[in-house]
Amino acid sequence: MNVDIKSKKVESAKPVAPMAAASALREGRPAPLGATWDGLGVNFAIFSANATKVELCLFDETGQNEIERITLPEYTDEVWHGYLPEARPGTVYGYRVYGPYEPANGHRFNPNKLLLDPYAKQLVGKLEWNPALFGYVMETGDDTTFDERDSAPFMVKARVIDPAFTWHSQTRLQTPWDRTVFYEMHVKGFTKQHPGVREPLRGTYAGLASPAPLAYARSLGVTALELLPIQSFVDDSYLTEKGLTNYWGYNTLAFFSPDRRYAANPDFAFAEFKEMVARCHDERLEVILDVVYNHTPEGNEMGPTLSFKGIDNASYYRLAEDKRYYINDTGTGNTVNLSDGRVLQLVMDSLRYWAVEMRVDGFRFDLATILAREPHGFDEDGRFLDAIRQDPVLAGVKLIAEPWDCGPGGYQVGRFAPGWAEWNDRFRDTIRAFWQGEPGKIPEVAARITGSADLFDRRGRKPWASVNFLTAHDGFTLADVFAYDDKHNEANGEDNRDGHSHNLSHNYGVEGPTDDEAINAVRQRQIRNMLATLFLSRGTPMLLAGDELARTQQGNNNAYCQDNEISWLDWEGLEAWQLDLARFTQHLIAIRQALPLLHRGRFLTAHEDEELGVKDVAWLTPTGDEMTEEHWLDGNARCFGVLLDGRARETGIRVGSDATLLVVLNAHDDVVGFTLPPAVGGRDWVCLVDTNRQGLSDMPRLPVGHDYQVTGRSLLLFMLRPEGGARSGGTADRSFEHVADVLQRLDDLAGLPGLREAAQPATPQAASSGTRQSPGGPVAK
């Protein structure tokens, strides 16, 4: 790191009005951990099993001048604690922790380094990279040396908060899993260029809480906003040296604090975040946080000392047999040690804080295999997963695992405990490969679109456990999957060496944008194919924000450091076909929600129910006949049908009575004739989706036996029209009429609220759902 050593140091300031005095110090309590305001004073408690002394350092309100150092007087159950009756919300503080500096034994205590409270709920200032932040003399490259420079001038500090907040609603949304549709987004990127958001609020929690963005998300049909990391994180030094930032935020330092950079008023970040959650809940949108408990920004033995490393390195991190070094199952330099009881408590306390105090509805765990890893390896009944399962709060929120890491045995898709959902990258890769025309993919496509029973049908888990996705923040956007053969990450400053090279993508003749109408037509149809496959498959769909608008990152498949137009959604430069694509996506989600057969909670078997004489699913050749083993093994086959019988059992005791559906997928590059098969209880087929059409389907009716000419690279959804008609009153008839009504209402809307407003200037917003706070407590609005 090329940083000059600065002569900046903390001067001994004489406070005009001290916030606390050592003479008033009391013993305090070892619980709860962190800085807790009780209405009369503040209790400070910090865990360290190996420290010999802990000093509480108090600063002025700017965090620039250290006012006082107070030795915490008590040590109980490996917790250092003290109580200051004169301290108040707004108090700025940090810690200096004493103990052995013995890297060979895993200890890296250095009281010259100001340390952030792991339970900090609001931060002050910004971390400034400087050699003084390192526990060793960084310039020597020798981590066994001891650095005596004070890091306080360059270190972010914690501020005591008053958590009081008036929620207008006390209930959690708890959208059923089988009705959930995730929408992965970046708080800043989603609103930074949105003209329907007032300029000062763009890119902030308050901006996301504005009427236009929420109206758009709600009208699109998604039910949960999955936010990329918003817990306070650090910009890596190597990025700041290049003028870049850690845009995605997978570098968390403070597990209880919403990051100030996303707050319209940074001093009110925690209150502004609560207001955002309240607004989302008003719109019936759940809030899911992407959380990073697997590593910290302190890196390996050559990394800085910011918090955990200086508080108790041997407890917080998994160390190698030679304790000077770190186990690096995350690929980031260190791995958080959840085998330690107090470290596990930190993570559990953090999750409960966000679920209870901040009212979020669930969590997506980055590199979740790390959290379930014990010293002997991944354990689906490990401490963390067991703790979550028995916790009365966390067992009731949505839990989503990214089920892989780069450690040994790190790929664990389908192996998490009951109650968890998991990102299913097998769905992504299989569906991409199929629509790109790879041979021999039909058997695996059949498994993926029916809930991936081969992975998840164990221990009573349900199809919703498979989170199906086509793209995510990491990788190409959906539009770029069909516009680029190769990654184009030059803007990242790593000579295009970063990012995946295996993208299962294709440009159809031209790399990047083109004016060739034929190429554009194929690309647009392929995007519709992918979206239709996603929303018509069993499992829980996740849509990357902007894919429904064909957002491009110009071929960058690793935009983690691009806090600019590469990553931000462009709301104003949309062409007509992109607006149509958004309506098409809205149409798909509405159909999914209206047809229970698409999200039933049972895995499909293709076996005949002897009691009912019904198969829940039948796999058809283009002739309308059931596939044989020969057909399954035909590597050249790229067109098949999926017949979903609405009479199949909904549960173990309830017989189904929904409308029967037929999905036809044709990955050939040419037309294939498909014979519409006969089905019990219906007189003809109604086409609900045809991805060959630029607009929405007009629901044409076609007789059984009709030879439908399926366009090359296209997908169709048919619904069986009941024999009795709408007046017969049967459930299948009502299902048919319900879908017709839903689609008619969408046609009447003629667009998406919020997308229309994107072209309108923003107006001042009404008061929020909650009570805004200052660092010292609530203030009037």
Side-chain angles (χ1 to χ4, degrees), residues 95-402:
Y95 289 108
R96 298 181 189 273
V97 181
Y98 293 74
Y101 189 84
E102 300 172 352
N105 294 320
H107 301 310
R108 296 179 179 270
F109 295 100
N110 186 336
N112 298 296
K113 309 307 164 186
L114 187 78
L115 306 174
L116 184 68
D117 182 359
Y119 281 74
K121 296 180 175 64
Q122 184 179 4
L123 304 190
V124 175
K126 183 178 180 180
L127 186 140
E128 180 181 347
W129 284 107
N130 186 276
L133 293 172
F134 293 73
Y136 65 98
V137 182
M138 194 201 74
E139 296 82 356
T140 67
D142 181 359
D143 67 293
T144 64
T145 59
F146 185 80
D147 189 86
E148 298 183 353
R149 288 168 290 193
D150 184 8
S151 68
F154 315 103
M155 185 62 195
V156 64
K157 286 86 176 176
R159 174 178 281 149
V160 178
I161 69 167
D162 179 353
F165 187 86
T166 302
W167 294 90
H168 74 287
S169 173
Q170 299 300 317
T171 59
R172 192 182 300 279
L173 290 182
Q174 292 186 314
T175 302
W177 267 107
D178 61 356
R179 305 305 295 269
T180 296
V181 178
F182 290 124
Y183 192 58
E184 192 196 32
M185 65 160 59
H186 190 285
V187 167
K188 182 175 183 178
F190 193 67
T191 63
K192 183 61 178 176
Q193 299 186 109
H194 200 305
V197 176
R198 289 193 295 126
E199 181 67 39
L201 303 183
R202 294 181 186 177
T204 69
Y205 306 121
L208 180 56
S210 300
L214 291 185
Y216 170 76
R218 184 59 182 163
S219 62
L220 186 62
V222 300
T223 68
L225 308 183
E226 184 174 311
L227 308 181
L228 264 66
I230 55 83
Q231 294 173 331
S232 294
F233 61 91
V234 171
D235 289 321
D236 313 72
S237 61
Y238 76 91
L239 289 177
T240 60
E241 290 169 8
K242 294 191 291 186
L244 300 171
T245 63
N246 190 324
Y247 175 69
W248 287 349
Y250 290 93
N251 207 24
T252 305
L253 179 62
F255 295 137
F256 292 77
S257 169
D259 201 291
R260 292 162 51 90
R261 74 189 74 194
Y262 301 137
N265 186 334
D267 288 335
F268 300 117
F270 62 99
E272 191 175 313
F273 181 88
K274 291 181 179 181
E275 293 178 6
M276 180 200 72
V277 173
R279 288 282 187 88
C280 289
H281 288 175
D282 287 345
E283 293 294 330
R284 308 297 299 171
L285 292 167
E286 291 185 312
V287 177
I288 310 295
L289 297 189
D290 196 334
V291 289
V292 187
Y293 295 110
N294 57 77
H295 75 279
T296 77
E298 293 184 305
N300 60 16
E301 65 277 2
M302 307 307 294
T305 298
L306 308 175
S307 180
F308 312 97
K309 185 179 290 186
I311 294 171
D312 196 344
N313 184 67
S315 294
Y316 276 106
Y317 295 115
R318 293 194 187 278
L319 303 180
E321 185 175 353
D322 182 345
K323 295 184 182 300
R324 176 181 171 185
Y325 302 104
Y326 296 74
I327 291 175
N328 184 22
D329 289 337
T330 64
T332 63
N334 63 54
T335 304
V336 173
N337 179 25
L338 265 70
S339 296
D340 183 278
R342 285 293 188 180
V343 180
L344 176 61
Q345 179 189 352
L346 168 72
V347 173
M348 297 297 290
D349 286 349
S350 171
L351 291 170
R352 277 191 295 271
Y353 177 78
W354 289 98
V356 175
E357 186 65 35
M358 300 300 223
R359 299 287 183 89
V360 303
D361 303 281
F363 305 94
R364 180 267 187 189
F365 294 84
D366 177 61
L367 301 183
T369 306
I370 292 290
L371 307 181
R373 190 184 294 277
E374 299 294 342
H376 58 272
F378 175 82
D379 187 342
E380 62 185 87
D381 291 312
R383 296 184 188 188
F384 173 71
L385 298 186
D386 279 350
I388 287 276
R389 190 182 309 170
Q390 60 78 41
D391 189 280
V393 172
L394 301 178
V397 304
K398 287 185 168 67
L399 303 169
I400 307 106
E402 181 185 39

Side-chain angles (χ1 to χ4, degrees), residues 586-649:
Q586 179 194 45
H587 179 98
L588 290 171
I589 297 175
I591 287 175
R592 177 185 179 85
Q593 299 290 35
L595 293 173
L597 196 57
L598 294 175
H599 50 78
R600 280 186 185 172
R602 305 194 88 193
F603 287 103
L604 299 172
T605 66
H607 299 310
E608 184 168 343
D609 186 317
E610 294 183 1
E611 181 181 341
L612 300 178
V614 171
K615 282 187 176 181
D616 52 10
V617 61
W619 307 95
L620 308 180
T621 69
T623 63
D625 300 315
E626 282 204 55
M627 291 175 63
T628 65
E629 183 176 2
E630 181 182 358
H631 293 120
W632 285 109
L633 296 177
D634 183 358
N636 293 318
R638 292 181 178 83
C639 180
F640 69 105
V642 189
L643 182 64
L644 301 169
D645 198 316
R647 300 169 299 157
R649 294 183 186 274

